[in-house]
Amino acid sequence: MKAIIRWVVPALVLLGFAIFYNDRAGKSEPDFTMAEVKVVEGIVATSDISRTQVGSGNRQTSRVDYTLTLTGRPQNVSFRLDTPPQGGVKAGMRVRLEVLEDAEAAFTSATRYPDGSNKIHAVGAVLDGKPVYTAAEYVARSESAASGNGRIALIFLLLGLAWGAVVYFVKIRPFARSGKAAW
């Protein structure tokens, strides 16, 4: 019986890897679709770099926020960029931001409540006609990662099942036919 267990363990390990990579494939899916992305265009009024605490409890860390505001819009609504362009963001630059939130609703709310503040995350940014990063790139990277992890999970699943079949035909089936099995 110990010999059979030694043969079964590799199949279980391979199936465990298949489950792990299948989970990673699910977590690698994009957080949004391109249909959800809205575009805000304008001219940069101000830009700022600040540190923000993120996380909670023992898992706190700081994040550098690159924020900007637009001219002709309420100044208590800022947009957070993931990465700034080389040379930074200067006042007067033309900007095209891809966001998930409804920026017009945020502008309306900011006008009504001038003491409040709203920071909108930009999932894509084009400054002075030069793309810094785009939402389409993020979606493509996420879909590619999910697809790759899904393929790896399938490979491990097939290997685990193949090894399980080998164990059955080489060890378990002859053992059961010999009459030595007491199950």
Side-chain angles (χ1 to χ4, degrees):
M1 192 63 167
K2 285 185 180 180
I4 292 175
I5 291 174
R6 280 191 294 234
W7 278 73
V8 170
V9 168
L12 295 176
V13 169
L14 289 168
L15 293 175
F17 274 118
I19 292 169
F20 170 75
Y21 278 104
N22 188 50
D23 181 54
R24 284 186 56 121
K27 290 179 181 177
S28 299
E29 287 290 327
D31 298 332
F32 56 89
T33 62
M34 288 305 295
E36 298 172 42
V37 175
K38 298 160 189 68
V39 175
V40 176
E41 294 183 353
I43 297 175
V44 175
T46 62
S47 64
D48 188 29
I49 299 173
S50 62
R51 286 198 173 286
T52 305
Q53 292 291 350
V54 293
S56 62
N58 293 346
R59 299 190 177 256
Q60 281 193 355
T61 187
S62 62
R63 172 184 72 206
V64 176
D65 280 346
Y66 305 97
T67 58
L68 56 91
T69 58
L70 302 177
T71 57
R73 302 293 189 160
Q75 295 302 298
N76 56 351
V77 176
S78 60
F79 295 90
R80 181 175 63 84
L81 303 178
D82 288 337
T83 57
Q86 283 188 329
V89 179
K90 296 174 183 62
M93 293 178 98
R94 293 213 44 81
V95 66
R96 180 183 180 273
L97 302 169
E98 299 170 334
V99 297
L100 297 177
E101 296 179 41
D102 185 12
E104 294 303 322
F107 293 142
T108 304
S109 174
T111 306
R112 248 186 264 144
Y113 306 104
D115 292 336
S117 67
N118 192 353
K119 194 178 286 189
I120 300 173
H121 178 231
V123 294
V126 177
L127 297 167
D128 276 344
K130 297 178 192 128
V132 179
Y133 60 96
T134 64
E137 290 172 350
Y138 170 80
V139 169
R141 272 194 317 272
S142 297
E143 287 174 347
S144 176
S147 173
N149 285 327
R151 278 191 295 260
I152 292 171
L154 180 63
I155 290 169
F156 276 117
L157 176 67
L158 293 175
L159 287 172
L161 292 175
W163 187 257
V166 166
V167 169
Y168 176 75
F169 285 110
V170 172
K171 283 292 186 184
I172 297 176
R173 191 168 173 218
F175 182 72
R177 283 187 171 180
S178 69
K180 294 179 185 175
W183 40 30

